[in-house]
C-alpha cells in the first residue's frame, strides 16, 4: 500500500527517480542508497507548528514540551529519537546538552537544552495496550503565545469522524491524494516522496540522521552515568 | 462537635479568596475575625465579605479575640515564622500556606515551636482533597497499572505576581535573594516556589522518596520579572520510578491587580495533569477538567471556565477533625520538610547545571 501510494505521487508529479519504501515506512531506497525517513518533518501538524513559531504568530519561544506514549512493540529508542528530532525541527536549533532518565526500556524522560536557549522536555513510554491509539502532545510556549497540536483541556487525540452504529468507529483522514492511509502512513509516503524529488534533502537527511545518532549516544551516556551530557 | 473559632491573617496570599466561602458555609467553623497586611488587601476583603471584624495587625486581632482557636496564615512566605510564633505561643492551631519557609533552619524552628506548644500545624496542599486525585490513588492501589515505571505531572498556572506582588519579590517568596545561576539576572522565588503540589503528590502516589533531580530553567516568557517563570524537572525516585515535573508559570495572563474575569490570556489559567506509565498500561488525568468554555466578556477570548474547585471543603474538614480529635495532619510540618528540601535541591541543580543526588 505504501509503495503503491508512493508510485502514484511519483507518476503524477513526473518524478523520474526510482524509490522503494520499506513496508514499515521507516526507510526509502533511492539509487542504491537507503535513507532513513523522518516522517514527522512532513506531518502537517508539525509543519504548521514550525510555521507559526517562525512567521511571527508565536514569538519568543521559551520551552517546548514533547511527549508520546505508544505500544510495547515500538522500541523506546525509536520514540526518543523521533521526539529529539521534533525538538530540533520545531525550534530550528541544535542541542547543546541533555539529561536523560530511562526506565527498563519502557519509559524515558529528558531535558534538552538547545543552542537558542529554548529548553525542551521529552516524556515517552511504550506502555499502551494494543487497543489504545498512541497518545502524543507537542506544545511550544512563547513570550507571546503558545502553539499546541492538541485541543485545550483535552488529553487524548480527537478524531474527524465518530461513528456510533454497531461497534463504535472513528476515522481521521488527513490527505485527499493519499486517501485511505492513516496519518502515520501518509507522513511516511510524503517523506519518501520528498526525498525522491530532492537530492539536497537526501543529503540533509543523512546529516540529520548522523546528528540524531550522536544525540542517542548522549542519551545512553546520560542514562548510564546519571549526568548531564554536553553535545 | 463544637464549632472551631477560626481567623485569618494577612490576606495577601493567592489562596485567600478560596477560604471566604468555606469559612462562611462550613457548619464546623465560626469565622471570628481577620487581620490584613495593608490597606489595599483590607479594601479588597471588605469589598468581598461582610460582617467579619477586620484588624490592621495580627496582634490586635488576637488580643481582641482570645477565643480564637485556629488561624489560617494567608500570608507571604517571609511572614510565616513570625506568625507561627505568634499563634503557637498562644496555643492557637495553624493552617499554613503551602510553603512554610525555604530556610531549613527556620523550618526546624517551626517544627519545634508547634511541637513544644502542642498545636496542630497543617500544611495547605489542597490537591489531596481533589476528587480526580482521589480516583487516581484508588486506581493505582488496585494494581491495574502494574508496577509504576514513570510519572509525569504538570502544575502550570498563570503568574500571580501582578495580583499578589510579594510572589515577584525574591526575599518575600524564597526568603532571600539568591541568583538562579551564575551569570543569570534572575533569582529564586518564582514558579517553583508557587507549585510544591506535584513534588508532594509524587511522594504520596509512588510511596517513595526522591533519589535524584535535574532541572533546567528556560528563558522567561515574562522578561520583566526577576524570578524564574519556566522550568522543568526530571529525576528518579528511590523505588526506580522516573519522573518529569513541570511547575511553570506557562499560562500567560493579563496583568490584573485583582483576580477576576479576563485574567486569562492562555485559555486555561491552571493545569494539573498527571500521566503515570506502568507495566500494564498508562493512566492519564486532568485534575481540573472537563469544564465549560466561553468567548465572552471582558476580552472576547476563548476561555476555560472551571466547573469545580472544592478542594478547600475537604481540607478544612480535615483541619477541624485534626484539632477536635487530636490527630496529626496527614500533611504536617515533618512530612512536608522533605518536599521543601527537594525543592531547594532543584534550585541547586539549576545553579550547578547537573544532577543533584538527595
Amino acid at each position: 500500500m505504501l509503495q503503491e501510494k508512493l508510485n502514484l505521487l511519483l507518476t503524477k508529479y513526473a518524478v523520474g527517480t526510482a524509490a522503494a519504501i520499506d513496508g514499515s515506512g521507516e526507510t526509502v531506497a533511492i539509487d542504491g542508497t537507503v535513507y532513513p525517513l523522518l516522517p514527522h518533518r512532513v506531518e502537517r501538524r508539525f509543519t504548521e507548528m514550525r510555521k507559526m513559531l517562525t512567521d511571527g504568530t508565536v514569538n519568543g519561544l521559551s520551552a517546548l514540551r514533547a511527549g508520546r506514549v505508544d505500544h510495547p512493540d515500538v522500541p523506546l529508542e525509536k520514540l526518543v529519537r523521533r521526539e529529539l528530532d521534533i525538538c530540533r525541527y520545531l525550534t530550528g536549533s541544535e542541542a547543546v546538552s541533555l539529561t536523560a532518565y530511562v526506565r527498563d526500556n519502557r519509559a524515558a524522560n529528558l531535558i534538552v537544552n538547545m543552542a537558542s536557549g529554548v529548553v525542551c522536555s521529552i516524556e515517552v513510554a511504550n506502555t499502551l495496550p494494543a487497543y489504545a491509539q498512541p497518545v502524543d502532545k507537542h506544545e511550544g510556549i512563547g513570550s507571546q503565545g503558545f502553539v499546541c497540536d492538541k485541543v485545550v483541556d483535552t488529553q487524548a487525540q480527537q478524531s474527524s469522524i465518530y461513528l456510533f452504529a454497531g461497534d463504535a468507529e472513528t476515522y481521521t483522514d488527513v490527505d485527499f491524494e493519499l486517501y485511505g492511509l492513516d496519518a502515520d502512513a501518509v507522513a511516511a509516503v510524503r517523506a519518501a516522496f520528498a526525498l525522491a524529488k530532492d537530492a539536497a534533502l537526501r543529503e540533509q537527511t543523512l546529516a540529520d540522521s548522523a546528528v540524531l545518532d550522536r544525540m542517542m549516544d548522549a542519551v545512553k551516556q546520560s542514562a548510564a552515568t546519571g549526568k548531564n551530557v554536553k553535545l | 462537635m463544637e464549632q472551631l473559632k477560626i481567623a485569618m491573617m494577612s490576606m495577601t496570599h493567592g489562596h485567600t479568596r478560596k477560604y471566604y466561602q468555606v469559612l462562611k458555609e462550613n457548619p464546623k467553623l465560626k469565622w471570628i475575625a481577620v487581620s490584613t497586611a495593608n490597606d489595599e488587601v483590607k479594601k479588597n476583603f471588605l469589598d468581598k465579605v461582610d460582617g467579619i471584624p477586620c484588624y490592621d495587625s495580627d496582634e490586635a486581632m488576637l488580643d481582641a479575640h482570645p477565643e480564637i482557636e485556629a488561624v489560617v496564615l494567608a500570608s507571604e512566605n517571609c511572614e510565616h515564622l513570625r506568625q507561627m510564633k505568634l499563634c503557637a505561643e498562644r496555643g492557637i492551631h495553624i493552617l499554613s500556606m503551602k510553603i512554610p519557609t525555604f530556610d531549613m533552619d527556620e523550618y526546624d524552628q517551626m517544627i519545634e515551636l508547634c511541637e513544644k506548644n502542642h498545636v496542630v500545624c497543617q500544611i495547605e496542599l489542597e490537591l489531596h482533597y481533589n476528587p480526580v486525585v482521589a480516583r487516581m490513588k484508588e486506581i493505582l492501589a488496585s494494581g491495574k497499572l502494574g508496577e509504576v515505571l514513570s510519572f509525569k505531572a504538570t502544575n502550570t498556572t498563570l503568574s500571580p505576581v501582578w495580583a499578589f506582588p510579594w510572589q515577584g519579590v525574591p526575599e518575600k517568596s524564597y526568603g532571600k535573594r539568591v541568583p538562579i545561576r551564575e551569570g543569570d539576572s534572575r533569582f529564586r522565588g518564582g514558579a517553583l516556589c508557587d507549585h510544591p503540589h506535584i513534588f508532594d503528590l509524587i511522594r504520596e502516589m509512588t510511596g517513595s522518596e526522591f533519589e535524584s533531580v535535574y532541572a533546567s530553567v528556560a528563558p522567561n516568557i515574562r522578561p520583566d520579572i526577576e524570578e524564574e517563570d519556566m522550568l522543568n524537572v526530571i529525576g528518579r525516585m528511590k523505588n526506580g520510578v522516573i519522573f518529569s515535573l513541570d511547575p511553570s508559570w506557562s499560562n500567560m495572563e493579563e496583568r490584573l491587580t485583582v483576580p477576576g474575569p479576563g485574567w486569562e490570556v492562555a485559555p486555561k489559567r491552571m493545569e494539573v495533569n498527571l500521566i503515570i506509565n506502568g507495566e500494564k498500561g498508562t493512566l492519564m488525568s486532568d485534575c481540573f477538567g472537563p469544564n465549560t468554555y466561553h468567548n465572552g466578556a471582558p476580552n472576547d477570548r476563548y476561555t476555560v471556565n472551571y466547573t469545580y474547585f472544592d478542594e478547600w471543603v475537604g481540607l478544612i474538614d480535615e483541619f477541624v477533625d485534626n484539632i477536635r480529635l487530636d490527630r496529626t495532619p496527614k500533611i504536617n510540618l515533618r512530612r512536608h520538610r522533605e518536599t521543601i528540601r527537594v525543592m531547594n535541591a532543584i534550585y541547586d541543580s539549576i545553579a550547578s547545571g547537573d544532577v543533584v543526588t538527595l
Side-chain angles (χ1 to χ4, degrees):
Chain A
M1 187 67 156
L2 296 183
Q3 188 63 49
E4 184 187 320
K5 293 291 189 184
L6 177 57
N7 290 343
L8 181 153
L9 294 178
L10 292 169
T11 304
K12 179 177 177 181
Y13 293 97
V15 176
T17 312
I21 187 168
D22 81 319
S24 61
E26 298 202 356
T27 62
V28 62
I30 299 170
D31 293 337
T33 303
V34 175
Y35 296 90
L37 294 177
L38 302 173
H40 43 273
R41 287 180 175 250
V42 295
E43 219 177 304
R44 287 182 182 177
R45 58 175 167 153
F46 295 126
T47 58
E48 288 300 318
M49 286 177 75
R50 180 177 155 112
K51 189 173 147 215
M52 283 184 274
L53 287 167
T54 53
D55 71 0
T57 304
V58 173
N59 291 311
L61 183 65
S62 164
L64 190 75
R65 300 169 179 153
R68 185 174 176 94
V69 188
D70 216 313
H71 302 123
D73 61 350
V74 180
L76 192 73
E77 279 190 23
K78 182 180 173 184
L79 294 173
V80 173
R81 190 180 178 97
R82 174 179 184 269
E83 298 304 323
L84 284 172
D85 196 47
I86 289 171
C87 291
R88 294 175 65 229
Y89 177 69
L90 291 181
T91 62
S93 184
E94 293 295 346
V96 292
S97 74
L98 63 80
T99 307
Y101 283 86
V102 178
R103 173 71 191 270
D104 298 345
N105 280 320
R106 302 297 310 280
N109 295 332
L110 290 83
I111 290 178
V112 186
N113 295 84
M114 311 304 284
S116 61
V118 174
V119 175
C120 301
S121 60
I122 294 174
E123 297 101 21
V124 295
N126 56 9
T127 50
L128 275 189
Y131 64 80
Q133 287 268 355
V135 179
D136 72 359
K137 183 174 182 179
H138 302 84
E139 186 176 25
I141 312 290
S143 56
Q144 185 192 34
F146 73 94
V147 58
C148 186
D149 59 4
K150 290 292 170 290
V151 183
V152 170
D153 222 18
T154 60
Q155 300 178 72
Q157 178 69 41
Q158 307 297 296
S159 298
S160 312
I161 296 174
Y162 299 86
L163 172 63
F164 302 106
D167 290 335
E169 294 176 33
T170 62
Y171 299 89
T172 302
D173 296 292
V174 297
D175 192 315
F176 191 75
E177 262 182 335
L178 301 179
Y179 182 78
L181 296 185
D182 66 25
D184 288 345
V186 163
V189 171
R190 289 282 172 195
F193 180 61
L195 292 180
K197 66 181 183 179
D198 188 341
L201 185 60
R202 295 200 284 273
E203 292 311 306
Q204 183 57 48
T205 298
L206 292 176
D208 283 327
S209 189
V211 171
L212 290 169
D213 287 344
R214 288 196 294 277
M215 293 179 83
M216 290 304 295
D217 288 343
V219 170
K220 287 173 194 161
Q221 187 187 341
S222 176
T225 61
K227 301 274 187 195
N228 174 261
V229 174
K230 309 283 184 234
L231 287 151
Chain B
M1 193 181 284
E2 187 191 348
Q3 280 188 314
L4 184 74
K5 298 174 192 70
I6 195 163
M8 294 181 74
M9 282 182 176
S10 286
M11 318 300 275
T12 51
H13 197 278
H15 287 176
T16 299
R17 294 167 306 140
K18 309 285 186 193
Y19 287 92
Y20 295 169
Q21 189 178 357
V22 73
L23 263 58
K24 284 232 162 196
E25 292 183 359
N26 191 319
K28 297 176 180 176
L29 299 178
K30 185 171 184 191
W31 191 359
I32 301 294
V34 301
S35 58
T36 50
N38 57 56
D39 291 342
E40 198 177 337
V41 294
K42 182 176 187 176
K43 181 180 179 307
N44 289 341
F45 174 73
L46 294 174
D47 284 347
K48 290 270 184 193
V49 181
D50 287 327
I52 303 296
C54 181
Y55 294 83
D56 292 332
S57 87
D58 303 330
E59 290 84 350
M61 177 181 74
L62 295 180
D63 289 345
H65 295 278
E67 74 273 28
I68 291 172
E69 296 175 275
V71 166
V72 179
L73 302 186
S75 52
E76 46 237 73
N77 295 343
C78 63
E79 286 289 302
H80 289 167
L81 178 60
R82 180 187 68 78
Q83 290 178 330
M84 275 197 196
K85 274 186 189 164
L86 207 54
C87 292
E89 287 169 357
R90 295 178 186 226
I92 294 172
H93 304 289
I94 296 161
L95 184 60
S96 167
M97 293 297 102
K98 52 198 172 184
I99 303 294
T101 174
F102 279 106
D103 182 307
M104 300 317 286
D105 291 333
E106 272 192 9
Y107 200 106
D108 290 337
Q109 283 183 58
M110 291 175 173
I111 292 174
E112 193 184 337
L113 259 173
C114 292
E115 291 184 350
K116 188 174 131 195
N117 290 287
H118 307 292
V119 297
V120 167
C121 180
Q122 180 172 323
I123 313 298
E124 182 217 54
L125 290 179
E126 67 274 12
L127 274 178
H128 285 271
Y129 315 93
N130 173 288
V132 177
V133 170
R135 181 70 66 183
M136 294 275 286
K137 288 180 191 171
E138 198 175 294
I139 294 169
L140 276 180
S142 76
K144 287 177 184 168
L145 265 190
E147 187 183 354
V148 174
L149 304 172
S150 70
F151 183 104
K152 180 201 170 153
T154 61
N155 181 185
T156 66
T157 65
L158 43 66
S159 173
V161 302
W162 321 111
F164 308 101
W166 67 269
Q167 290 195 258
V169 179
E171 291 86 347
K172 294 186 175 184
S173 177
Y174 185 71
K176 53 192 168 188
R177 188 165 283 258
V178 181
I180 199 99
R181 61 186 174 194
E182 199 178 320
D184 197 305
S185 60
R186 293 169 292 177
F187 299 88
R188 297 181 181 189
L192 177 61
C193 290
D194 197 26
H195 296 149
H197 305 282
I198 47 180
F199 302 96
D200 163 78
L201 215 49
I202 188 174
R203 297 173 61 205
E204 164 98 352
M205 287 188 147
T206 63
S208 187
E209 298 293 344
F210 287 85
E211 179 186 274
S212 65
V213 292
Y214 173 80
S216 191
V217 283
N220 272 21
I221 60 174
R222 302 166 190 82
D224 49 339
I225 64 174
E226 59 177 352
E227 300 163 337
E228 83 284 356
D229 67 3
M230 294 289 295
L231 73 156
N232 203 276
V233 184
I234 58 175
R236 179 180 281 116
M237 304 300 282
K238 286 180 176 164
N239 66 356
V241 174
I242 61 171
F243 61 80
S244 174
L245 306 172
D246 188 336
S248 298
W249 283 335
S250 57
N251 305 30
M252 189 58 83
E253 69 289 332
E254 287 289 347
R255 298 182 171 192
L256 304 185
T257 53
V258 178
W263 206 5
E264 298 88 351
V265 171
K268 194 172 183 182
R269 73 169 68 159
M270 175 191 62
E271 297 176 70
V272 178
N273 295 344
L274 283 73
I275 300 177
I276 302 176
N277 297 303
E279 282 188 322
K280 297 180 188 171
T282 293
L283 177 61
M284 301 166 59
S285 72
D286 177 351
C287 297
F288 297 97
N291 293 293
T292 53
Y293 310 89
H294 72 87
N295 70 337
N299 298 324
D300 303 342
R301 274 194 198 115
Y302 189 79
T303 303
V304 177
N305 178 66
Y306 295 93
T307 50
Y308 59 92
F309 241 138
D310 47 8
E311 287 72 25
W312 278 265
V313 175
L315 184 148
I316 284 289
D317 279 344
E318 191 199 318
F319 184 54
V320 175
D321 285 351
N322 287 333
I323 293 167
R324 289 290 181 243
L325 305 174
D326 196 23
R327 290 177 180 162
T328 301
K330 181 176 174 191
I331 310 303
N332 57 67
L333 276 171
R334 283 192 180 276
R335 176 194 151 80
H336 193 48
R337 189 182 190 282
E338 181 62 9
T339 299
I340 299 295
R341 187 174 83 93
V342 169
M343 292 172 77
N344 273 316
I346 289 164
Y347 275 128
D348 292 343
S349 174
I350 292 168
S352 70
D354 215 335
V355 172
V356 171
T357 302
L358 287 139

